[in-house]
Amino acid sequence: MKIRGAVLNRMGVEPPYERTKPLAIEQVELDGPGPGEVLVKIAAAGLCHSDLSVINGDRPRPTPMLLGHEASGVVEEMGPGVDDLQKGDHVVMVFVPSCGHCPPCSEGRPALCEPGAVANTAGTLLSGARRLHRNGADVHHHLGVSGFAEYATVSRRSLVKIDKELPLDEAALFGCAVLTGVGAVINTAKMPAGATAAVIGLGGVGLSSLLGAIAAGARRVVAVDLSDDKLGLARQLGATDTFNAASPEAANEVRAATNGGVDFAFEMAGSVRAMDLAYKITRRGGTTVTAGLPPPTHTFALPQVNLVAEERTVKGSYIGTCVPTRDLPRYIELYRRGKLPVDRLMSDHLKLNQINLGFDRLHEGKAVRQVVLI
Ligand SMILES: NC(=O)c1ccc[n+]([C@@H]2O[C@H](COP(=O)([O-])OP(=O)(O)OC[C@H]3O[C@@H](n4cnc5c(N)ncnc54)[C@H](O)[C@@H]3O)[C@@H](O)[C@H]2O)c1
Ligand SMILES: [Zn+2]
Ligand SMILES: [Zn+2]
């Protein structure tokens, strides 16, 4: 079938994107679902910094690629062998498909699925297929989702069925920002109630961590960003203390305010500078978690002796160390009960042809989560 979608033809085009238009709204050919695959009518897709990092080349991927990895939709058609979904079911897309059989999947760590990672790097579905074409050539899938489009053919293993009561624009945010941000606190850090936490980087992912830390019972939640507007929003959402990372004294200021640092610091900005701050504001014996994705050549140095003598822990967190079928329903239920007000992260609704403008706003730090309504 012919669909419209936002295709990145080459990485590294300079902003302003509204003028340079790295994402072209094009007509592409979408194959129907093969075995184990599902055709989904996309309802909404969020703009995440990880999309921006493909556009600007910080996170290199093969092009042309139809972007978008934080999406929700309605099941349209099932391929052979898919017997646990029905046409009309509402689904959230998860940006790491999990095969269910590889060593990490067997150990209950589907976020680290090995064939899933291979497919995502290659720009294919879990099956290895590319179901998107243009002028007779393949177009790559983005993280098995490619959600900035009218329809997507995806692996069944990229989907979680959700309750139809959740509005589909909000549902989209659960696929990346919420799964990643809340999961970093609950699954990766396993932060106990009563702990102190700091979040560095207050985009959709970091603010989800902030909400997760509050929901998990942190007695103090410190919010850090370069933008005073984001700090203001963090305060409204329940941050107890806010600090601007632009201050050269930021680390000392946080340490002074928190008796030598927090129990858990979460780097959610995607930069070595933010990670450095996160490490410095973690207290002796504390844990620094990072979910930010800086360019692959950037390295983080830390004083090894202090890792040892202060018994520090540094943990990476991918897609919130999630088990999607376990965590998504839990987070959605917490949202419904008012414990995880992720609707407050919604900055704007966009049309597909406003997507370059949306990425300008994300690049300039002027938006938290913008969602394209398809
Ligand atoms: N680990 C995962 O599974 C996963 C999933 C989604 C996104 N990510 C990554 O998480 C990061 C955040 O994503 P997002 O969509 O929320 O991004 P975003 O652009 O919306 O937010 C990033 C925030 O960090 C702030 N910031 C930048 N540098 C800073 C610094 N030095 N100190 C303090 N704050 C700083 C910015 O002002 C901005 O508010 C990105 O690197 C993204 O690629 C990781
Ligand atoms: Zn994302
Ligand atoms: Zn697997």
Short mmCIF file of all heavy atoms in Angstrom, two decimals, residues 207-263:
data_model
loop_
_atom_site.label_atom_id
_atom_site.label_comp_id
_atom_site.label_asym_id
_atom_site.label_seq_id
_atom_site.Cartn_x
_atom_site.Cartn_y
_atom_site.Cartn_z
N LEU A 207 12.10 14.11 32.74
CA LEU A 207 10.92 14.46 33.56
C LEU A 207 10.12 13.21 33.91
O LEU A 207 9.49 13.15 34.97
CB LEU A 207 10.06 15.51 32.84
CG LEU A 207 10.66 16.92 32.84
CD1 LEU A 207 9.85 17.85 31.95
CD2 LEU A 207 10.77 17.51 34.25
N SER A 208 10.15 12.19 33.04
CA SER A 208 9.52 10.92 33.41
C SER A 208 10.26 10.28 34.59
O SER A 208 9.63 9.71 35.49
CB SER A 208 9.52 9.95 32.22
OG SER A 208 8.70 10.43 31.19
N SER A 209 11.58 10.42 34.61
CA SER A 209 12.34 9.92 35.77
C SER A 209 11.97 10.68 37.03
O SER A 209 11.85 10.10 38.11
CB SER A 209 13.85 10.07 35.54
OG SER A 209 14.27 9.27 34.49
N LEU A 210 11.82 11.99 36.86
CA LEU A 210 11.43 12.82 38.00
C LEU A 210 10.09 12.34 38.57
O LEU A 210 9.94 12.13 39.78
CB LEU A 210 11.32 14.27 37.55
CG LEU A 210 10.95 15.28 38.62
CD1 LEU A 210 12.17 16.07 39.04
CD2 LEU A 210 9.89 16.24 38.14
N LEU A 211 9.11 12.12 37.67
CA LEU A 211 7.80 11.63 38.13
C LEU A 211 7.93 10.24 38.73
O LEU A 211 7.27 9.92 39.73
CB LEU A 211 6.81 11.61 36.95
CG LEU A 211 6.44 12.97 36.35
CD1 LEU A 211 5.54 12.78 35.13
CD2 LEU A 211 5.77 13.87 37.38
N GLY A 212 8.79 9.42 38.14
CA GLY A 212 9.01 8.07 38.66
C GLY A 212 9.62 8.11 40.05
O GLY A 212 9.22 7.34 40.94
N ALA A 213 10.57 9.02 40.25
CA ALA A 213 11.22 9.13 41.57
C ALA A 213 10.23 9.60 42.63
O ALA A 213 10.23 9.11 43.76
CB ALA A 213 12.41 10.09 41.48
N ILE A 214 9.34 10.52 42.24
CA ILE A 214 8.33 10.99 43.19
C ILE A 214 7.37 9.84 43.51
O ILE A 214 7.06 9.57 44.68
CB ILE A 214 7.58 12.21 42.62
CG1 ILE A 214 8.54 13.40 42.47
CG2 ILE A 214 6.38 12.57 43.50
CD1 ILE A 214 8.00 14.54 41.62
N ALA A 215 6.92 9.14 42.43
CA ALA A 215 5.98 8.03 42.64
C ALA A 215 6.60 6.94 43.51
O ALA A 215 5.91 6.29 44.30
CB ALA A 215 5.55 7.45 41.29
N ALA A 216 7.92 6.75 43.36
CA ALA A 216 8.59 5.69 44.11
C ALA A 216 8.90 6.11 45.55
O ALA A 216 9.46 5.33 46.32
CB ALA A 216 9.87 5.28 43.39
N GLY A 217 8.60 7.36 45.89
CA GLY A 217 8.73 7.78 47.29
C GLY A 217 10.06 8.40 47.65
O GLY A 217 10.47 8.35 48.83
N ALA A 218 10.74 9.01 46.68
CA ALA A 218 11.99 9.71 47.03
C ALA A 218 11.67 10.83 48.03
O ALA A 218 10.68 11.53 47.87
CB ALA A 218 12.62 10.31 45.78
N ARG A 219 12.52 10.99 49.04
CA ARG A 219 12.21 12.04 50.02
C ARG A 219 12.68 13.40 49.52
O ARG A 219 12.23 14.42 50.00
CB ARG A 219 12.82 11.71 51.38
CG ARG A 219 14.31 11.86 51.52
CD ARG A 219 14.73 11.54 52.96
NE ARG A 219 16.09 11.91 53.25
CZ ARG A 219 17.16 11.18 52.99
NH1 ARG A 219 17.02 10.01 52.38
NH2 ARG A 219 18.36 11.61 53.32
N ARG A 220 13.56 13.38 48.54
CA ARG A 220 14.03 14.63 47.96
C ARG A 220 14.33 14.37 46.49
O ARG A 220 14.95 13.35 46.16
CB ARG A 220 15.31 15.03 48.68
CG ARG A 220 15.60 16.46 48.54
CD ARG A 220 16.34 16.96 49.75
NE ARG A 220 16.78 18.30 49.46
CZ ARG A 220 17.68 18.94 50.16
NH1 ARG A 220 18.26 18.35 51.19
NH2 ARG A 220 18.01 20.16 49.84
N VAL A 221 13.85 15.25 45.62
CA VAL A 221 14.09 15.08 44.19
C VAL A 221 14.67 16.38 43.64
O VAL A 221 13.99 17.40 43.55
CB VAL A 221 12.80 14.72 43.43
CG1 VAL A 221 13.13 14.43 41.96
CG2 VAL A 221 12.12 13.51 44.05
N VAL A 222 15.94 16.32 43.29
CA VAL A 222 16.66 17.48 42.76
C VAL A 222 16.57 17.45 41.24
O VAL A 222 16.80 16.41 40.63
CB VAL A 222 18.14 17.40 43.20
CG1 VAL A 222 18.95 18.54 42.60
CG2 VAL A 222 18.25 17.39 44.72
N ALA A 223 16.23 18.59 40.63
CA ALA A 223 16.14 18.67 39.17
C ALA A 223 17.21 19.62 38.65
O ALA A 223 17.40 20.70 39.21
CB ALA A 223 14.76 19.13 38.75
N VAL A 224 17.91 19.21 37.58
CA VAL A 224 19.01 20.01 37.03
C VAL A 224 18.86 20.10 35.52
O VAL A 224 18.64 19.07 34.85
CB VAL A 224 20.38 19.37 37.37
CG1 VAL A 224 21.52 20.28 36.93
CG2 VAL A 224 20.49 19.05 38.86
N ASP A 225 18.95 21.29 34.98
CA ASP A 225 18.91 21.47 33.53
C ASP A 225 19.62 22.78 33.20
O ASP A 225 20.03 23.53 34.11
CB ASP A 225 17.45 21.50 33.02
CG ASP A 225 17.33 21.17 31.54
OD1 ASP A 225 17.67 22.03 30.70
OD2 ASP A 225 16.93 20.04 31.21
N LEU A 226 19.78 23.04 31.92
CA LEU A 226 20.37 24.32 31.48
C LEU A 226 19.28 25.37 31.25
O LEU A 226 19.58 26.54 31.05
CB LEU A 226 21.15 24.11 30.17
CG LEU A 226 22.37 23.21 30.27
CD1 LEU A 226 22.85 22.81 28.87
CD2 LEU A 226 23.49 23.91 31.03
N SER A 227 18.03 24.92 31.23
CA SER A 227 16.92 25.82 30.90
C SER A 227 16.10 26.13 32.15
O SER A 227 15.60 25.22 32.82
CB SER A 227 16.03 25.15 29.84
OG SER A 227 14.69 25.55 29.98
N ASP A 228 15.94 27.42 32.45
CA ASP A 228 15.14 27.81 33.62
C ASP A 228 13.67 27.44 33.43
O ASP A 228 12.98 27.15 34.41
CB ASP A 228 15.28 29.32 33.88
CG ASP A 228 16.64 29.65 34.49
OD1 ASP A 228 17.21 28.78 35.20
OD2 ASP A 228 17.16 30.75 34.24
N ASP A 229 13.20 27.43 32.18
CA ASP A 229 11.81 27.02 31.94
C ASP A 229 11.59 25.57 32.36
O ASP A 229 10.58 25.22 32.99
CB ASP A 229 11.44 27.16 30.46
CG ASP A 229 11.32 28.62 30.05
OD1 ASP A 229 11.22 29.48 30.96
OD2 ASP A 229 11.34 28.91 28.83
N LYS A 230 12.55 24.70 32.00
CA LYS A 230 12.43 23.28 32.37
C LYS A 230 12.49 23.13 33.89
O LYS A 230 11.79 22.30 34.46
CB LYS A 230 13.56 22.47 31.72
CG LYS A 230 13.58 22.51 30.19
CD LYS A 230 12.81 21.36 29.58
CE LYS A 230 12.71 21.46 28.08
NZ LYS A 230 13.90 21.03 27.37
N LEU A 231 13.34 23.96 34.52
CA LEU A 231 13.43 23.89 35.99
C LEU A 231 12.11 24.30 36.62
O LEU A 231 11.66 23.71 37.61
CB LEU A 231 14.58 24.78 36.50
CG LEU A 231 15.98 24.36 36.04
CD1 LEU A 231 17.02 25.38 36.51
CD2 LEU A 231 16.34 22.98 36.56
N GLY A 232 11.46 25.31 36.03
CA GLY A 232 10.15 25.75 36.52
C GLY A 232 9.12 24.65 36.41
O GLY A 232 8.35 24.39 37.35
N LEU A 233 9.10 23.96 35.26
CA LEU A 233 8.16 22.86 35.07
C LEU A 233 8.46 21.74 36.08
O LEU A 233 7.53 21.16 36.67
CB LEU A 233 8.25 22.33 33.62
CG LEU A 233 7.39 21.13 33.28
CD1 LEU A 233 5.91 21.38 33.55
CD2 LEU A 233 7.58 20.71 31.81
N ALA A 234 9.74 21.47 36.29
CA ALA A 234 10.12 20.41 37.25
C ALA A 234 9.59 20.74 38.64
O ALA A 234 9.10 19.86 39.35
CB ALA A 234 11.64 20.24 37.27
N ARG A 235 9.67 22.02 39.01
CA ARG A 235 9.14 22.42 40.34
C ARG A 235 7.63 22.18 40.40
O ARG A 235 7.12 21.64 41.38
CB ARG A 235 9.46 23.90 40.62
CG ARG A 235 10.70 24.07 41.50
CD ARG A 235 10.81 25.50 42.01
NE ARG A 235 10.85 26.47 40.94
CZ ARG A 235 11.96 26.85 40.31
NH1 ARG A 235 13.12 26.33 40.66
NH2 ARG A 235 11.91 27.74 39.35
N GLN A 236 6.94 22.56 39.32
CA GLN A 236 5.48 22.33 39.30
C GLN A 236 5.15 20.84 39.42
O GLN A 236 4.13 20.46 39.96
CB GLN A 236 4.88 22.85 38.00
CG GLN A 236 4.81 24.36 37.91
CD GLN A 236 4.38 24.79 36.50
OE1 GLN A 236 3.76 24.03 35.76
NE2 GLN A 236 4.73 26.02 36.13
N LEU A 237 6.04 20.00 38.88
CA LEU A 237 5.78 18.55 38.90
C LEU A 237 6.20 17.91 40.21
O LEU A 237 6.00 16.72 40.40
CB LEU A 237 6.51 17.88 37.72
CG LEU A 237 6.00 18.24 36.32
CD1 LEU A 237 6.88 17.62 35.24
CD2 LEU A 237 4.55 17.78 36.14
N GLY A 238 6.85 18.69 41.09
CA GLY A 238 7.16 18.15 42.42
C GLY A 238 8.63 18.07 42.77
O GLY A 238 8.97 17.50 43.82
N ALA A 239 9.51 18.62 41.94
CA ALA A 239 10.93 18.65 42.33
C ALA A 239 11.06 19.47 43.61
O ALA A 239 10.41 20.50 43.76
CB ALA A 239 11.77 19.27 41.22
N THR A 240 11.91 19.01 44.53
CA THR A 240 12.07 19.74 45.79
C THR A 240 13.12 20.83 45.67
O THR A 240 13.10 21.80 46.41
CB THR A 240 12.46 18.78 46.93
OG1 THR A 240 13.62 18.04 46.52
CG2 THR A 240 11.33 17.81 47.25
N ASP A 241 14.10 20.64 44.77
CA ASP A 241 15.19 21.60 44.60
C ASP A 241 15.51 21.67 43.11
O ASP A 241 15.47 20.64 42.43
CB ASP A 241 16.49 21.15 45.29
CG ASP A 241 16.28 20.71 46.73
OD1 ASP A 241 15.70 19.62 46.94
OD2 ASP A 241 16.71 21.44 47.63
N THR A 242 15.87 22.85 42.61
CA THR A 242 16.28 22.94 41.20
C THR A 242 17.59 23.71 41.10
O THR A 242 17.83 24.65 41.88
CB THR A 242 15.21 23.64 40.33
OG1 THR A 242 14.93 24.92 40.89
CG2 THR A 242 13.94 22.83 40.24
N PHE A 243 18.42 23.31 40.15
CA PHE A 243 19.72 23.96 39.93
C PHE A 243 19.96 24.10 38.45
O PHE A 243 19.67 23.17 37.68
CB PHE A 243 20.85 23.13 40.54
CG PHE A 243 20.77 23.02 42.03
CD1 PHE A 243 20.05 21.99 42.61
CD2 PHE A 243 21.40 23.96 42.84
CE1 PHE A 243 19.96 21.88 43.99
CE2 PHE A 243 21.31 23.86 44.23
CZ PHE A 243 20.59 22.82 44.81
N ASN A 244 20.53 25.24 38.04
CA ASN A 244 20.89 25.41 36.64
C ASN A 244 22.32 24.91 36.42
O ASN A 244 23.26 25.39 37.07
CB ASN A 244 20.75 26.87 36.21
CG ASN A 244 20.75 26.99 34.69
OD1 ASN A 244 21.62 26.42 34.02
ND2 ASN A 244 19.77 27.67 34.15
N ALA A 245 22.46 23.93 35.50
CA ALA A 245 23.77 23.30 35.26
C ALA A 245 24.75 24.26 34.61
O ALA A 245 25.95 23.96 34.53
CB ALA A 245 23.59 22.07 34.37
N ALA A 246 24.27 25.41 34.14
CA ALA A 246 25.19 26.38 33.53
C ALA A 246 26.12 27.00 34.56
O ALA A 246 27.19 27.50 34.22
CB ALA A 246 24.38 27.47 32.82
N SER A 247 25.73 26.96 35.82
CA SER A 247 26.59 27.53 36.86
C SER A 247 27.84 26.69 37.01
O SER A 247 27.77 25.47 37.15
CB SER A 247 25.84 27.56 38.20
OG SER A 247 26.77 27.69 39.26
N PRO A 248 29.04 27.31 36.99
CA PRO A 248 30.27 26.52 37.17
C PRO A 248 30.31 25.87 38.54
O PRO A 248 31.05 24.91 38.76
CB PRO A 248 31.39 27.55 37.00
CG PRO A 248 30.75 28.91 36.95
CD PRO A 248 29.29 28.74 36.77
N GLU A 249 29.50 26.37 39.45
CA GLU A 249 29.48 25.83 40.82
C GLU A 249 28.36 24.81 41.03
O GLU A 249 28.08 24.43 42.17
CB GLU A 249 29.32 26.99 41.82
CG GLU A 249 30.56 27.86 41.97
CD GLU A 249 31.75 27.03 42.44
OE1 GLU A 249 31.60 26.27 43.42
OE2 GLU A 249 32.80 27.12 41.77
N ALA A 250 27.70 24.40 39.92
CA ALA A 250 26.50 23.56 40.07
C ALA A 250 26.75 22.32 40.94
O ALA A 250 25.96 22.02 41.84
CB ALA A 250 25.96 23.16 38.70
N ALA A 251 27.85 21.62 40.70
CA ALA A 251 28.11 20.39 41.46
C ALA A 251 28.23 20.70 42.95
O ALA A 251 27.63 20.02 43.79
CB ALA A 251 29.38 19.70 40.95
N ASN A 252 29.00 21.76 43.26
CA ASN A 252 29.17 22.12 44.68
C ASN A 252 27.86 22.57 45.30
O ASN A 252 27.57 22.26 46.46
CB ASN A 252 30.21 23.24 44.82
CG ASN A 252 31.60 22.72 44.51
OD1 ASN A 252 31.86 21.52 44.64
ND2 ASN A 252 32.49 23.61 44.08
N GLU A 253 27.06 23.28 44.50
CA GLU A 253 25.77 23.76 45.03
C GLU A 253 24.87 22.58 45.39
O GLU A 253 24.26 22.56 46.46
CB GLU A 253 25.07 24.65 43.98
CG GLU A 253 25.74 26.02 43.78
CD GLU A 253 25.27 26.73 42.51
OE1 GLU A 253 24.24 26.32 41.92
OE2 GLU A 253 25.94 27.70 42.11
N VAL A 254 24.81 21.58 44.50
CA VAL A 254 23.95 20.42 44.79
C VAL A 254 24.50 19.64 45.98
O VAL A 254 23.76 19.24 46.88
CB VAL A 254 23.80 19.51 43.55
CG1 VAL A 254 22.95 18.29 43.89
CG2 VAL A 254 23.20 20.26 42.37
N ARG A 255 25.80 19.46 45.99
CA ARG A 255 26.40 18.70 47.10
C ARG A 255 26.17 19.40 48.44
O ARG A 255 25.85 18.76 49.45
CB ARG A 255 27.90 18.50 46.86
CG ARG A 255 28.19 17.50 45.73
CD ARG A 255 29.69 17.44 45.42
NE ARG A 255 30.45 16.91 46.55
CZ ARG A 255 30.65 15.61 46.77
NH1 ARG A 255 30.15 14.73 45.91
NH2 ARG A 255 31.33 15.21 47.80
N ALA A 256 26.29 20.71 48.42
CA ALA A 256 26.08 21.47 49.67
C ALA A 256 24.62 21.36 50.12
O ALA A 256 24.33 21.24 51.31
CB ALA A 256 26.46 22.93 49.45
N ALA A 257 23.71 21.37 49.14
CA ALA A 257 22.29 21.35 49.50
C ALA A 257 21.81 19.96 49.92
O ALA A 257 20.73 19.82 50.50
CB ALA A 257 21.46 21.85 48.31
N THR A 258 22.59 18.93 49.60
CA THR A 258 22.12 17.55 49.83
C THR A 258 23.05 16.77 50.77
O THR A 258 23.09 15.54 50.71
CB THR A 258 22.00 16.79 48.49
OG1 THR A 258 23.26 16.85 47.80
CG2 THR A 258 20.92 17.37 47.60
N ASN A 259 23.78 17.48 51.59
CA ASN A 259 24.65 16.78 52.54
C ASN A 259 25.68 15.90 51.88
O ASN A 259 25.85 14.74 52.24
CB ASN A 259 23.81 15.91 53.47
CG ASN A 259 23.63 16.55 54.81
OD1 ASN A 259 24.54 17.28 55.25
ND2 ASN A 259 22.49 16.34 55.43
N GLY A 260 26.31 16.39 50.81
CA GLY A 260 27.36 15.62 50.16
C GLY A 260 26.91 14.83 48.95
O GLY A 260 27.67 14.03 48.42
N GLY A 261 25.69 15.05 48.51
CA GLY A 261 25.23 14.38 47.28
C GLY A 261 24.01 13.51 47.50
O GLY A 261 23.62 13.24 48.64
N VAL A 262 23.42 13.06 46.39
CA VAL A 262 22.19 12.26 46.46
C VAL A 262 22.51 10.77 46.40
O VAL A 262 23.58 10.36 45.93
CB VAL A 262 21.23 12.63 45.30
CG1 VAL A 262 20.71 14.05 45.45
CG2 VAL A 262 21.90 12.44 43.94
N ASP A 263 21.55 9.96 46.83
CA ASP A 263 21.73 8.50 46.78
C ASP A 263 21.75 8.01 45.33
O ASP A 263 22.52 7.11 44.99
CB ASP A 263 20.58 7.80 47.51
CG ASP A 263 20.49 8.21 48.97
OD1 ASP A 263 21.55 8.47 49.57
OD2 ASP A 263 19.36 8.29 49.50
#
